[in-house]
């Protein structure tokens, strides 16, 4: 009886949590989306870039609870909408104190320049620039604005670009750990820290190559916007570090002042009744997921490592992004089957992943091309290894100058921990049936010569397949692809010179390329086929109940008379019937 009562109490507590906690959680989320704030007649948008950005919005809406939800794509789409919004008069950007992802800064810079081209000003404010990450990219973004402000007495440390790698080889040797890996080929250096105690010549060459390209691109772009020569700007920057006062004297920035000072200056420029409006608040008044008019171009987004399967995560609050091959290929096939879709823009931000998953996605891209629907890839921060595998078959590839791409190669292997464990009295023993290779990836010992030979043949086949796909997709001789492959990473500007990408530019340049390939004249309607799930559907996935049931539970709070729930749900109903605002709704397309 005691155990029964304990079990019953647990069930009751869980049911109470579900019936009360979940509805209130959903109601709180709905409150944020029910009535978007009205934009004042003279608005100055305040865009804060001091927190890390994702490239794309998370598919799971609960993953960003308690965190800022800005992404590069949401920023550029919102700025694009603000260009023609007569209420938006200016934008104030708060810059991070450290570095930014170079390609993200490139994409944002293009959006800033397009916004400024309408005659509306953008000011940037920095509370200091420090040498963490690619700070050159942060400076470049500030240089792209109408006025670059710095806080008085703050630090200006934009002197170069450095990275640091930690090598474990001697540590592993000391404790009996063997990193048993195969690489194809010498530039595929992701596992070098486990295999070496220092940079190999190829590793150092590759690192210096892409770092130098990123650095020179950032300097050249900033120099163009600051109306200086690249050589002069580089010399000035490398002679630092400076204080803010020195940076102004050297014409590296335009003005000194606190945040309140730049806000006052920008409001005065925007109009005497100008008001500051949070960028995210303004973003919620827009609906960039569906924009434009005319023939339809499907926009499909892919961010994170590439794996097989579909997103069936049981944790609705899990952060991070993953490209699931079932989901992404299904979105592409949906675009193929949709007769209104004339072209596809695939936004890729991925360091790579499973070759099997990548091949499934590439097959869907080939199907789209066979259906006479051109596919244009827009590369973000990186589209390397598996990210390049899926991109290689596209009709065209557009990359930012600092996008990290290529890495046409493969690696694989294991850690042999048996000797290390034996030192502390733990013994690993292996038993198998079938061929000896069935136990090749056991952790007890390294590869035998026979296992290594079989594994190496398998790696060779994957690498050869990668080469063939790139050669076919990019219309390059296989010999040429083998020459520039070997696992080497290239920046977008280098990849353009090598024939691995077609154009240097951002998302909207990719849209223009898609319009050209599809023969679309004038405007195009951008339609998202990878749409974030609703909060109700996220709870459905986590708890295994239907979305309609969760909505019913949320509505039950209204029926039970909770005045806050009544108010919020009434607001949602009113907003649905009103004109111009988008509230919580079923997405255009569901991926399962």
């Amino acid at each position: 009886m005691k155990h029964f009562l304990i079990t019953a109490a647990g069930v009751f507590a869980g049911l109470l949590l579900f019936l009360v906690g979940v509805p209130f959680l959903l109601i709180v989320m709905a409150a944020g989306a029910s009535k978007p704030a009205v934009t004042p007649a003279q608005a100055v948008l305040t865009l804060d870039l001091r927190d890390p950005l994702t490239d794309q919005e998370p598919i799971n809406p609960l993953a960003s609870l308690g965190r800022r939800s800005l992404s590069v794509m949401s920023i550029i789409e919102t700025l694009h909408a603000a260009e023609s919004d007569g209420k938006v008069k200016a934008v104030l950007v708060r810059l991070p104190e450290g570095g930014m992802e170079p390609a993200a800064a490139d994409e944002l810079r293009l959006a800033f320049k397009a916004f400024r081209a309408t005659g509306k000003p953008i000011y940037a404010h920095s509370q200091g620039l420090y040498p963490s990450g690619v700070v050159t990219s942060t400076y470049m973004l500030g240089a792209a604005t109408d006025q670059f402000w710095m806080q008085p007495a703050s630090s200006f440390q934009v002197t170069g670009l450095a990275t640091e790698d930690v090598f474990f080889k001697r540590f592993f040797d000391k404790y009996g750990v063997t990193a048993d890996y195969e690489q194809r080929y010498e530039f595929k250096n992701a596992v070098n820290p486990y295999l070496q105690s220092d940079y190999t010549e190829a590793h150092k060459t590759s690192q210096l190559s892409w770092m130098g390209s990123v650095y020179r691109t950032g300097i050249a772009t900033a120099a163009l916007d600051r109306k200086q020569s690249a050589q002069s700007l580089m010399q000035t920057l490398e002679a630092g570090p400076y204080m803010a006062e020195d940076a102004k004297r050297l014409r590296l920035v335009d003005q000194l002042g606190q945040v309140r000072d730049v806000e006052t200056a920008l409001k005065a420029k925007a109009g005497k009744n100008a008001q500051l409006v949070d960028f995210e608040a303004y973003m919620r008044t827009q609906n960039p997921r569906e924009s434009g008019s005319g023939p339809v171009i499907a926009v499909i987004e892919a961010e994170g490592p590439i794996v097989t399967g579909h997103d069936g995560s049981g944790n609705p609050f899990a952060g991070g992004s993953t490209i699931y091959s079932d989901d992404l290929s299904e979105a592409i096939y949906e675009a193929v089957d949709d007769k209104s879709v004339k072209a596809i823009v695939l936004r890729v931000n991925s360091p790579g992943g499973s070759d099997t998953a990548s091949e499934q996605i590439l097959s869907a891209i080939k199907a789209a091309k066979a259906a006479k629907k051109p596919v244009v890839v827009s590369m973000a921060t990186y589209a390397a290894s598996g990210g390049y595998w899926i991109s290689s078959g596209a009709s065209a590839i557009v990359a930012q100058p600092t996008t990290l791409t290529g890495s046409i190669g493969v690696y694989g292997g294991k850690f042999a921990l048996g000797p290390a464990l034996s030192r502390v009295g733990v013994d690993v023993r292996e038993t198998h049936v079938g061929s000896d290779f069935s136990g090749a990836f056991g952790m007890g010992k390294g590869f035998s010569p026979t296992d290594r030979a079989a594994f190496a043949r398998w790696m060779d086949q994957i690498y050869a397949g990668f080469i063939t796909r790139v050669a076919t997709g990019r219309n390059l001789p296989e010999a040429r692809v083998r020459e520039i492959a070997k696992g080497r990473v290239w920046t977008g500007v280098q990849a353009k010179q090598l024939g691995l990408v077609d154009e240097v530019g951002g998302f909207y340049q990719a849209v223009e390329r898609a319009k050209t390939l599809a023969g679309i004249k004038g405007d195009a309607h951008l339609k998202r086929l990878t749409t974030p799930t609703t909060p109700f559907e996220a709870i459905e996935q986590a708890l295994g109940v239907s979305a309609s049931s969760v909505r019913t539970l949320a509505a039950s709070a209204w029926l039970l008379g909770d005045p806050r729930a009544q108010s919020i749900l009434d607001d949602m109903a009113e907003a649905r019937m009103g004109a111009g605002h988008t509230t919580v709704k079923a997405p255009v397309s569901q991926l399962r």
Side-chain angles (χ1 to χ4, degrees), residues 50-397:
R50 290 176 294 174
D51 288 337
L53 297 174
T54 58
D55 182 66
Q56 300 155 27
E57 292 184 51
I59 294 295
N60 182 354
L62 304 184
S64 59
L65 278 180
R67 299 191 294 273
R68 295 175 66 245
S69 58
L70 285 177
S71 67
V72 172
M73 289 296 291
S74 66
I75 291 172
I76 67 170
E77 289 169 333
T78 303
L79 283 174
H80 186 68
E83 290 174 20
S84 57
D85 188 341
K87 294 181 178 180
V88 177
K89 304 300 183 182
V91 174
L92 170 61
V93 181
R94 301 288 303 276
L95 295 174
E97 295 177 26
M100 294 185 65
E101 296 285 3
D106 287 336
E107 190 78 64
L108 293 176
R109 175 183 175 271
L110 291 175
F112 287 7
K113 301 288 280 188
F115 184 87
R116 289 179 59 193
T118 66
K120 301 179 182 183
I122 295 184
Y123 288 6
H125 186 271
S126 170
Q127 292 180 282
L129 294 171
Y130 298 91
S132 60
V134 188
V135 70
T136 310
S137 296
T138 306
Y139 177 70
M140 178 199 73
L141 193 57
T145 62
D146 292 278
Q147 288 190 19
F148 192 165
W149 289 59
M150 282 200 78
Q151 180 171 302
S154 60
S155 295
F156 185 96
Q157 301 182 28
V158 186
T159 57
L161 172 58
T163 187
E164 197 170 50
D165 293 287
V166 179
F167 293 87
F168 294 93
K169 178 67 164 57
R170 291 196 305 113
F171 174 82
F172 287 168
D173 290 345
K174 180 177 180 180
Y175 291 100
V177 176
T178 300
D180 222 352
Y181 280 86
E182 288 279 326
Q183 301 159 280
R184 298 295 182 272
Y185 275 99
E186 65 268 26
F187 294 103
K188 196 71 174 178
N189 50 48
V191 292
N192 274 14
Y194 308 135
L195 305 176
Q196 311 291 336
S197 57
D198 199 351
Y199 293 106
T200 63
E201 182 178 351
H203 191 169
K204 195 74 167 180
T205 298
S206 177
Q207 201 102 320
L208 287 172
S209 175
W210 70 257
M211 288 176 65
S213 179
V214 166
Y215 181 57
R216 290 188 299 273
T217 296
I219 295 293
T221 304
L224 180 67
D225 290 334
R226 297 295 300 175
K227 296 180 173 55
Q228 301 182 32
S229 73
Q231 185 62 32
S232 173
L233 179 60
M234 183 181 294
Q235 289 176 350
T236 303
L237 291 174
E238 292 182 0
Y242 304 109
M243 298 302 290
E245 288 73 13
D246 296 319
K248 183 177 184 300
R249 175 178 56 82
L250 294 168
R251 297 193 305 118
L252 297 173
V253 299
D254 299 300
Q255 300 287 346
L256 300 183
Q258 298 291 340
V259 175
R260 179 61 63 89
D261 298 326
V262 67
E263 289 175 348
T264 301
L266 199 50
K267 285 196 293 183
K269 193 172 184 66
K272 64 179 182 179
N273 297 318
Q275 300 179 42
L276 299 176
V277 176
D278 180 75
F279 192 88
E280 290 183 75
Y282 176 76
M283 186 172 70
R284 287 192 290 271
T285 70
Q286 307 301 306
N287 183 22
R289 311 302 295 179
E290 296 273 339
S291 61
S293 59
V296 175
I297 294 178
V299 177
I300 299 174
E301 295 173 324
E303 181 167 21
I306 304 170
V307 300
T308 57
H310 67 90
D311 185 2
S313 172
N315 181 3
F317 305 101
S321 297
T322 303
I323 299 173
Y324 293 92
S325 60
D326 284 2
D327 292 347
L328 185 54
S329 58
E330 184 177 336
I332 296 169
Y333 284 123
E334 182 176 340
V336 172
D337 295 337
D338 187 338
K339 290 182 171 54
S340 69
V341 171
K342 306 305 179 186
I344 300 169
V345 173
L346 175 61
R347 177 75 169 190
V348 178
N349 191 49
S350 174
S354 162
D355 61 297
T356 306
S358 300
E359 181 63 14
Q360 181 183 357
I361 297 166
L362 179 60
S363 178
I365 291 173
K366 291 178 179 178
K369 291 172 61 181
K372 307 301 182 184
K373 299 191 177 185
V375 180
V376 178
V377 166
S378 169
M379 291 182 169
T381 295
Y382 37 55
S385 198
Y388 191 76
W389 186 306
I390 67 176
S391 303
S392 63
S395 308
I397 301 175

Side-chain angles (χ1 to χ4, degrees), residues 254-569:
D254 299 300
Q255 300 287 346
L256 300 183
Q258 298 291 340
V259 175
R260 179 61 63 89
D261 298 326
V262 67
E263 289 175 348
T264 301
L266 199 50
K267 285 196 293 183
K269 193 172 184 66
K272 64 179 182 179
N273 297 318
Q275 300 179 42
L276 299 176
V277 176
D278 180 75
F279 192 88
E280 290 183 75
Y282 176 76
M283 186 172 70
R284 287 192 290 271
T285 70
Q286 307 301 306
N287 183 22
R289 311 302 295 179
E290 296 273 339
S291 61
S293 59
V296 175
I297 294 178
V299 177
I300 299 174
E301 295 173 324
E303 181 167 21
I306 304 170
V307 300
T308 57
H310 67 90
D311 185 2
S313 172
N315 181 3
F317 305 101
S321 297
T322 303
I323 299 173
Y324 293 92
S325 60
D326 284 2
D327 292 347
L328 185 54
S329 58
E330 184 177 336
I332 296 169
Y333 284 123
E334 182 176 340
V336 172
D337 295 337
D338 187 338
K339 290 182 171 54
S340 69
V341 171
K342 306 305 179 186
I344 300 169
V345 173
L346 175 61
R347 177 75 169 190
V348 178
N349 191 49
S350 174
S354 162
D355 61 297
T356 306
S358 300
E359 181 63 14
Q360 181 183 357
I361 297 166
L362 179 60
S363 178
I365 291 173
K366 291 178 179 178
K369 291 172 61 181
K372 307 301 182 184
K373 299 191 177 185
V375 180
V376 178
V377 166
S378 169
M379 291 182 169
T381 295
Y382 37 55
S385 198
Y388 191 76
W389 186 306
I390 67 176
S391 303
S392 63
S395 308
I397 301 175
V398 179
Q400 289 290 358
T402 57
T403 296
L404 298 183
T405 188
S407 193
I408 303 166
V410 62
Y411 70 83
K414 66 175 182 176
F415 288 101
L417 304 177
L421 293 174
S422 68
R423 296 183 182 186
V424 293
V426 177
D427 297 310
V428 180
R429 300 289 184 261
E430 183 258 331
T431 303
H432 72 269
V433 295
S435 77
D436 291 341
F437 191 75
S438 63
F441 288 93
M443 69 175 182
K445 59 183 179 180
F447 290 120
S448 70
T450 303
D451 290 343
R452 179 171 291 280
F455 180 52
R457 287 195 301 272
W458 179 59
M459 297 285 285
D460 288 337
Q461 290 171 346
I462 295 174
Y463 182 70
F466 201 166
I467 295 291
T468 299
R469 284 159 180 77
V470 172
T472 301
R474 299 300 306 163
N475 194 26
L476 292 169
E478 283 200 17
R480 175 57 175 160
V481 177
R482 288 186 179 275
E483 181 183 345
I484 61 179
K486 303 177 184 178
R488 185 163 179 173
V489 174
W490 305 99
T491 62
V493 69
Q494 292 171 327
K496 170 68 166 61
Q497 296 167 352
L498 296 170
L500 295 177
V501 306
D502 298 288
E503 183 178 342
V504 173
F507 171 73
Y508 286 107
Q509 284 70 33
V511 170
E512 290 302 315
R513 175 62 74 101
K515 287 167 58 177
T516 299
L517 292 175
I520 297 174
K521 306 294 184 182
D523 199 10
H525 175 65
L526 303 184
K527 178 180 180 181
R528 287 308 194 280
L529 294 188
T530 41
T531 306
T533 58
T534 67
F536 297 108
E537 290 155 342
I539 293 293
E540 171 192 352
Q541 289 183 0
L543 301 179
V545 297
S546 69
S548 60
S549 297
V550 177
R551 290 188 181 91
T552 301
L553 286 170
S556 69
W558 184 87
L559 294 172
L560 291 172
D562 188 299
R564 291 170 298 175
Q566 289 177 353
S567 174
I568 291 168
L569 291 175

